[in-house]
Amino acid sequence: MYSRYSRACGSMARILASGLIGLALVTGAMSGVFAHPGVATGARLMLGASRSGAVRAGEVNLATLPPASPAELKAAEAGAAPRLAPKSAAQAAAYQRYVVSHPGALPRGAGGLLPLVRGPDMYGGGAEPVLLSEGEGLHNTTGSPNVPDPAVAAAPSYVFEMAEGQLEVFNTAYGLKFGPWTSNQFFATVVRSGDTVLPYPQISYDAERSIYLISSLEYDVNAPSHTFVDIAISKTGTPSPLTNFYVYQIDPNTLYTGTITSCQLDTLGYDYWGLYITCPVYNVNDFQNPMFIGNVLMAFSTNNLLKGSLGRWDAWFNVPTSLNCGSGCTPAYWLSPVQEDGVPQAEWVIATDQSNSATSQNLTVCALTNTIILGSIAQPTFTCGLNTLPLTYNDPAFASVPGASGALDTGFGFKQLAYRDGQLYVAISLAMTCSNSVTQDGILWAAVDPQLTTFAAHNPQWVNGIATSFTNAGYFCMQNADLYTPVLVAGTEGDMALAFGASSATIYPSVYFTGRAAEDAPGTMGQGEASHVVVSGQSVSVSGASVWGFYSACSLTTNLVSRSIVYCANQFNGPAAHSGPGWDTELYALRME
């Protein structure tokens, strides 16, 4: 069984499904890009496959589910889980050596100093978001070497957090709590005997329907590294998570023939009509030497999910990061659907070149249009286009912590992205130089305007690039410090908050935030490089673990006071008196107006 922190992950080969090397798609599930003359120059149509039904289905009621026992929590916290990486240990080390020895080739930014204490809150004329409140979220008491990848969903009066195989419901003052429960408890009606629900879940709150959407991966004990996808949806519209959920188990392996596959690091998105899950896919026929083979987007009808019957669902394969390569396109490692309130014209899906150890400006933007027909005999239209960001990016390097230079593997990519005010908001960590300092990790953030073809001229619509003249992007960094696990979120007035983790040779991994007003000059955060600390870490990790989590999470609340209050969850390690020997998460609220 693979350790979550294994870096011996085999070949970096990028293999299209049509290549038939260790992967054969079922009939109709072609993985290609197809031109459509005269429509959306540069856009390509992606063909997919369909399936019907779930492997298993059931229900759970959080209002009556008993809290987890200490033994159940310990098992959830301490259990090993596979997390396959796109780079082998040797490849990761080679990239680290390159970025350290070639700082002149890295993106450059100008930044301030990492604050050690909290700065002043600012209202009105200030440029940074206001820290409204904070409190302890989920935490570990076993000394497990794992660290959390927190996910959070905010609704009126409730904050629902998931991290490291645990679930807990808080009120907005973080005092009243329900749970905790384990993921295995929550999905008990579909989890197979002996299987384990993996510890990096996803959760969203659909404000339009007032429902919660959850996904998690289930490790198949009978076929090493094979994973199922477990899905949950609250049955009725209510701000309270203490309600009944339908739960489903699907097997992405049914999309392939002749191979055992592993879906890794799932990402959850939604629009009014559908729930969308993406993940990198590995061939694990030889589980000692798993091979990355592509990516998959799975789409489920929300209406069907709410009926207690999964019905027909659709999948598309191997979205590339370049579209001008014919049959040799390289599949993106990390593909992310976005969260979209209301009934937009498209569900957006984006990808970058991160994991390729190369400097790039590529941004693949895909659109799933006509999603109202999800669950029917026909498939929505899925098109992708290659775009150029105004700034370059690469993979992040390992971060420094007290006593160890370049020791912390912080992951890359982005999670739980939002489409709001007609824009997509993205933030990724990258290796760069800051104020001509040594190589370190900073953040590239961007708000881009994706476009569709005109509905009157082309129905169903296709993706049609991004409006680059309205693209707002910038580098954010701090001198002599590493920044990582960023998440960028916007309110309804175009203000933004950027939450992230940071550490240095003198600062343990801690939680920070900054932001910008909609009226600020393009490409700037906080009219400068100001940032504020939410909580300071007291240790690097536990049991000598070198891998930090991959992401943080923020969720825009739907309260009636302000549509610009966001709740975030970030990870750190506090003092023993705070949480014992293990990891912590901090919940906090920011106001952006």
Side-chain angles (χ1 to χ4, degrees), residues 159-223:
V159 180
F160 193 166
E161 186 189 15
M162 304 178 69
E164 199 61 34
Q166 298 183 32
L167 305 79
E168 193 158 358
V169 176
F170 302 81
N171 66 2
T172 50
Y174 320 111
L176 181 64
K177 303 177 183 180
F178 305 94
W181 307 279
T182 69
S183 296
N184 271 57
Q185 280 182 289
F186 183 80
F187 287 108
T189 56
V190 297
V191 172
R192 305 181 331 152
S193 177
D195 284 5
T196 298
V197 182
L198 299 187
Y200 28 93
Q202 292 279 277
I203 182 171
S204 296
Y205 178 71
D206 182 345
E208 180 77 7
R209 293 185 184 246
S210 297
I211 55 175
Y212 292 87
L213 308 167
I214 297 172
S215 73
S216 227
L217 300 178
E218 179 182 331
Y219 182 80
D220 181 358
V221 69
N222 296 314

Side-chain angles (χ1 to χ4, degrees), residues 52-409:
S52 292
V55 178
R56 296 184 177 198
E59 292 188 33
V60 62
N61 187 349
L62 275 188
T64 59
L65 188 65
S69 68
E72 288 172 319
L73 288 174
K74 184 175 181 179
E77 294 169 353
R83 171 182 271 179
L84 307 181
K87 292 185 179 75
S88 68
Q91 289 165 334
Y95 177 72
Q96 184 78 6
R97 289 193 297 271
Y98 170 80
V99 296
V100 170
S101 60
H102 296 84
L106 302 179
R108 298 189 177 195
L113 295 173
L114 197 64
L116 297 176
V117 296
R118 182 174 303 149
D121 291 338
M122 297 182 181
Y123 266 113
E128 286 80 40
V130 178
L131 180 63
L132 293 180
S133 62
E134 61 177 306
E136 182 181 2
L138 287 166
H139 61 273
N140 168 287
T141 59
T142 66
S144 162
N146 292 353
V147 290
D149 283 323
V152 63
S157 303
Y158 296 95
V159 180
F160 193 166
E161 186 189 15
M162 304 178 69
E164 199 61 34
Q166 298 183 32
L167 305 79
E168 193 158 358
V169 176
F170 302 81
N171 66 2
T172 50
Y174 320 111
L176 181 64
K177 303 177 183 180
F178 305 94
W181 307 279
T182 69
S183 296
N184 271 57
Q185 280 182 289
F186 183 80
F187 287 108
T189 56
V190 297
V191 172
R192 305 181 331 152
S193 177
D195 284 5
T196 298
V197 182
L198 299 187
Y200 28 93
Q202 292 279 277
I203 182 171
S204 296
Y205 178 71
D206 182 345
E208 180 77 7
R209 293 185 184 246
S210 297
I211 55 175
Y212 292 87
L213 308 167
I214 297 172
S215 73
S216 227
L217 300 178
E218 179 182 331
Y219 182 80
D220 181 358
V221 69
N222 296 314
S225 294
H226 171 217
T227 52
F228 296 92
V229 177
D230 295 340
I231 301 170
I233 185 169
S234 50
K235 292 175 60 174
T236 57
T238 172
S240 173
L242 303 176
T243 186
N244 284 79
F245 286 76
Y246 286 122
V247 293
Y248 305 91
Q249 181 194 82
I250 67 164
D251 186 1
N253 207 55
T254 63
L255 296 169
Y256 304 84
T257 58
T259 244
I260 301 173
T261 59
S262 176
C263 178
Q264 289 283 313
L265 294 167
D266 55 317
T267 303
L268 175 67
Y270 69 87
D271 67 2
Y272 183 85
W273 301 110
L275 180 154
Y276 310 95
I277 296 173
T278 59
C279 57
V281 178
Y282 283 78
N283 178 342
V284 291
N285 278 11
D286 176 6
F287 72 91
Q288 296 291 344
N289 187 35
M291 180 181 294
F292 171 76
I293 54 176
N295 56 61
V296 63
L297 163 67
M298 294 167 279
F300 307 89
S301 164
T302 301
N303 287 340
N304 285 350
L305 292 170
L306 290 172
K307 294 175 183 176
S309 175
L310 189 63
R312 175 187 166 120
W313 53 278
D314 299 303
W316 293 266
F317 309 91
N318 293 0
V319 170
T321 55
S322 176
L323 298 176
N324 301 314
C325 48
S327 61
C329 291
T330 298
Y333 178 75
W334 205 310
L335 189 66
S336 293
V338 305
Q339 302 175 3
E340 306 186 27
D341 292 338
V343 190
Q345 290 295 100
E347 164 64 18
W348 300 99
V349 182
I350 63 176
T352 69
D353 278 329
Q354 279 210 320
S355 83
N356 289 333
S357 299
T359 299
S360 175
Q361 291 179 265
N362 286 350
L363 179 70
T364 299
V365 177
C366 304
L368 197 62
T369 54
N370 200 26
T371 57
I372 190 174
I373 67 172
L374 277 171
S376 69
I377 194 66
Q379 279 192 333
T381 299
F382 188 49
T383 56
C384 294
L386 180 66
N387 305 274
T388 301
L389 283 172
L391 299 174
T392 61
Y393 63 87
N394 52 21
D395 295 356
F398 284 20
S400 293
V401 295
S405 176
L408 202 66
D409 183 356

Side-chain angles (χ1 to χ4, degrees), residues 536-560:
S536 297
Q538 302 294 313
S539 64
V540 58
S541 190
V542 288
S543 301
S546 62
V547 178
W548 204 240
F550 269 44
Y551 54 89
S552 306
C554 290
S555 176
L556 192 67
T557 187
T558 56
N559 71 72
L560 300 179

Side-chain angles (χ1 to χ4, degrees), residues 554-577:
C554 290
S555 176
L556 192 67
T557 187
T558 56
N559 71 72
L560 300 179
V561 176
S562 171
R563 192 68 169 100
S564 290
I565 295 177
V566 61
Y567 283 86
C568 297
N570 296 66
Q571 64 205 46
F572 74 107
N573 282 109

